[in-house]
Amino acid sequence: MKTYIEQNKDRFLSELFDLLRIPSVSADPKFKDDMRRCAEAVKESILKAGADLAEIHETPGHPVVYGEKLIDPALPTVLIYGHYDVQPADPYELWETPPFEPTIRNERIYARGSCDDKGQFYMHIKALETMVATGSLTCNVKIMIEGEEEVGSDHLGTFVRENKEKLKADVILISDTSIIANDVPSIEVGLRGLTYLEVEVTGANRDLHSGVYGGAVANPINVLCEMIASMKDENNHITIPGFYDKVQELSAEERSLMNEAPFDLDEYKRDLAIDELEGETGYTTIERTGIRPTLDVNGIWGGYTGEGAKTVLPSKAYAKISMRLVPDQNNDEILDIFTKHFLSIAPPSVKVVVKPHHGGLPYVTPVDSVEYKAAELAMKEAWGGKQPVPTRGGGSIPIVALFEQELGVKSILMGFGLDIDALHSPNESYGLFNFYKGIETIPLFFKYYTELKK
């Protein structure tokens, strides 16, 4: 297989570049046609890789692409999940090269979606091609690539529930996460959940002259900032009543094992160009981003933001707020307690509305499962005998918990990205090493998983 990958690596990269050139931004309706074009391209790539079937399934939103290569009903079935939609590239002016014109610099692919998730799911398609072409496919493969992950996978749940037989599998394999470093393989065994919402604060019925009314009428931006600030104390502990009630506390031994993972604090700060870190008192950086919940403002606006000056008291102020959740928090429950608390702390001088967006449950994979052991063996072989480190990821893939609930199978988070990939930011990138290492490692997972299931 390594020979086939080496002989075709330039073509693999060229094909990925074609996919990256399609601006498949699910959040913006102006890219609707590009979303369709990308779904068609993914379908064709699955067929060319050697699948027996590839088809596009319509949803009320963007389509789902499904494919399969079934070789023997007696063998295990691996279901690959990924997403072809990407985050908006704004602000474009901060990109060193155009976001939808992939460029290689310093052995890295720079483009929106290069890592999240086109570069990662495309590894699976090329791994399938490699296994089919070399006669080394050891089990059945199903592929599901959706187009709404970056906007909450609103319609994937319905698709999964309506297609349980089609999606029937023994394990779900996902590459939408990262490793610790190129010389330190790792497997994410946990994801944080998510509650995402928007708040609106309204004062007067129109924008007001700040000289005529300033000091007498509430300024919604000031009020909103005060309300947000009140939701954390001096130890960066979230003050919403009941927020931590169901948080699963790890033992001292479990926390100690987590902190054995390689972590260079100075390099971490240097990469982010910051002098100091900030987080919940009593926890390390690894713990803060893996096993502790958070509350963050993702955007805030109101009033006049154009060039020059305009002295107004705005009528309205807005913020988008996300909360990352950990086992055993429930995203719907957190939405409810946030809403009640936020309304309760609003002064009578303003009106407040909380608008839910999307969310998902936290997820943990047992490290003693067959699925994890297959991933562990695959990575260990691909990295020349290095034992992969189990880690807890800070991000969220809300659909993972639903997969287990609806399909009754575990997911393995075998991603190949790095923290420096700048996901969701300008100048997103993905290492050439990581792209090719993924294509090499994925067939090994198939091999070991089939052996362990016997």
Side-chain angles (χ1 to χ4, degrees):
M1 285 190 292
K2 282 187 177 182
T3 301
Y4 185 86
I5 295 169
E6 184 62 33
Q7 290 173 343
N8 292 276
K9 61 188 299 186
D10 291 341
R11 175 173 60 83
F12 290 175
L13 188 62
S14 176
E15 291 171 359
L16 173 60
F17 274 29
D18 288 341
L19 202 61
L20 292 170
R21 290 188 179 100
I22 304 174
S24 50
V25 180
S26 54
D28 192 334
K30 76 180 181 182
F31 294 104
K32 183 179 179 181
D33 290 344
D34 294 304
M35 290 294 297
R36 165 65 57 171
R37 187 158 59 97
C38 194
E40 293 284 355
V42 173
K43 172 191 166 185
E44 290 305 311
S45 70
I46 293 172
L47 285 172
K48 288 178 181 177
D52 300 321
L53 169 73
E55 53 196 17
I56 290 178
H57 290 262
E58 303 300 334
T59 77
H62 300 297
V64 175
V65 184
Y66 172 82
E68 62 184 31
K69 178 71 174 179
L70 308 180
I71 59 175
D72 185 342
L75 290 172
T77 298
V78 177
L79 173 60
I80 304 299
Y81 164 81
H83 63 93
Y84 65 86
D85 66 321
V86 301
Q87 282 275 315
D90 312 69
Y92 282 72
E93 65 273 13
L94 296 184
W95 286 78
E96 292 184 27
T97 50
F100 297 107
E101 185 49 58
T103 306
I104 293 179
R105 299 195 304 273
N106 302 317
E107 297 296 302
R108 300 186 62 78
I109 308 161
Y110 285 83
R112 173 59 86 226
S114 55
C115 179
D116 183 19
D117 179 45
K118 289 179 179 176
Q120 296 222 57
F121 87 69
Y122 202 67
M123 298 181 310
H124 289 273
I125 295 176
K126 294 298 96 179
L128 173 62
E129 176 190 321
T130 300
M131 290 184 287
V132 171
T134 59
S136 55
L137 182 60
T138 58
C139 62
N140 304 305
V141 186
K142 295 180 178 180
I143 301 172
M144 176 174 60
I145 310 297
E146 69 152 318
E148 296 184 318
E149 195 272 348
E150 298 292 6
V151 290
S153 301
D154 285 347
H155 302 106
L156 191 63
T158 301
F159 175 79
V160 170
R161 282 186 284 270
E162 292 177 350
N163 292 276
K164 286 186 179 181
E165 189 60 34
K166 180 187 289 287
L167 300 173
K168 189 176 180 181
D170 296 283
V171 63
I172 300 170
L173 185 58
I174 301 172
S175 295
D176 196 12
T177 52
S178 61
I179 55 176
I180 293 173
N182 283 349
D183 60 349
V184 185
S186 58
I187 303 168
E188 288 201 0
V189 297
L191 290 168
R192 290 194 286 191
L194 176 69
T195 296
Y196 193 92
L197 52 86
E198 182 177 321
V199 296
E200 174 187 297
V201 177
T202 303
N205 60 0
R206 63 187 186 276
D207 286 356
L208 302 176
H209 189 292
S210 65
V212 175
Y213 293 97
V217 178
N219 182 326
I221 296 179
N222 293 356
V223 172
L224 175 58
C225 290
E226 290 164 2
M227 291 172 68
I228 291 171
S230 75
M231 290 192 291
K232 284 189 181 181
D233 64 18
E234 67 276 9
N235 294 315
N236 282 301
H237 195 80
I238 296 162
T239 59
I240 300 172
F243 187 83
Y244 292 97
D245 283 358
K246 292 188 176 181
V247 169
Q248 190 182 99
E249 298 286 350
L250 270 65
S251 67
E253 182 182 3
E254 289 173 311
R255 289 176 65 180
S256 177
L257 285 171
M258 278 191 71
N259 286 290
E260 287 179 11
F263 178 73
D264 187 326
L265 181 60
D266 291 333
E267 176 57 33
Y268 190 83
K269 292 190 288 187
R270 189 161 46 249
D271 175 58
L272 300 174
I274 56 177
D275 295 325
E276 280 302 331
L277 300 182
E278 182 177 293
E280 189 179 2
T281 300
Y283 296 91
T284 67
T285 301
I286 289 175
E287 292 169 343
R288 289 169 179 168
T289 58
I291 62 170
R292 298 300 294 169
T294 64
L295 186 154
D296 286 296
V297 178
N298 306 122
I300 186 165
W301 68 98
Y304 180 69
T305 58
E307 294 291 330
K310 184 181 181 184
T311 51
V312 296
L313 293 183
S315 170
K316 293 179 179 290
Y318 306 84
K320 292 184 186 289
I321 296 173
S322 66
M323 286 159 281
R324 299 286 177 172
L325 313 178
V326 300
D328 293 308
Q329 290 178 301
N330 179 285
N331 56 295
D332 291 328
E333 292 176 1
I334 293 298
L335 172 63
D336 184 56
I337 66 170
F338 174 94
T339 302
K340 289 177 180 176
H341 177 70
F342 203 72
L343 295 176
S344 74
I345 62 174
S349 54
V350 298
K351 301 179 182 67
V352 173
V353 176
V354 177
K355 303 175 184 177
H357 279 291
H358 62 271
L361 294 169
Y363 184 79
V364 176
T365 299
V367 296
D368 58 354
S369 65
V370 168
E371 296 83 3
Y372 179 82
K373 290 187 181 301
E376 183 179 52
L377 289 168
M379 280 201 150
K380 185 175 181 179
E381 180 173 334
W383 262 266
K386 286 189 177 181
Q387 187 75 14
V389 179
T391 61
R392 293 280 192 108
S396 305
I397 307 178
I399 203 67
V400 171
L402 183 137
F403 287 155
E404 182 168 354
Q405 177 184 328
E406 297 295 337
L407 301 178
V409 294
K410 286 289 184 183
S411 295
I412 289 296
L413 306 167
M414 197 171 75
F416 296 86
L418 295 171
D419 286 347
I420 62 170
D421 292 339
L423 309 187
H424 296 198
S425 301
N427 302 304
E428 177 184 348
S429 64
Y430 191 42
L432 292 174
F433 169 89
N434 308 76
F435 178 61
Y436 294 124
K437 184 60 76 173
I439 299 171
E440 174 191 343
T441 308
I442 290 161
L444 296 173
F445 173 85
F446 280 62
K447 182 185 84 167
Y448 285 117
Y449 184 67
T450 304
E451 291 177 1
L452 290 170
K453 286 290 284 185
K454 287 180 180 176

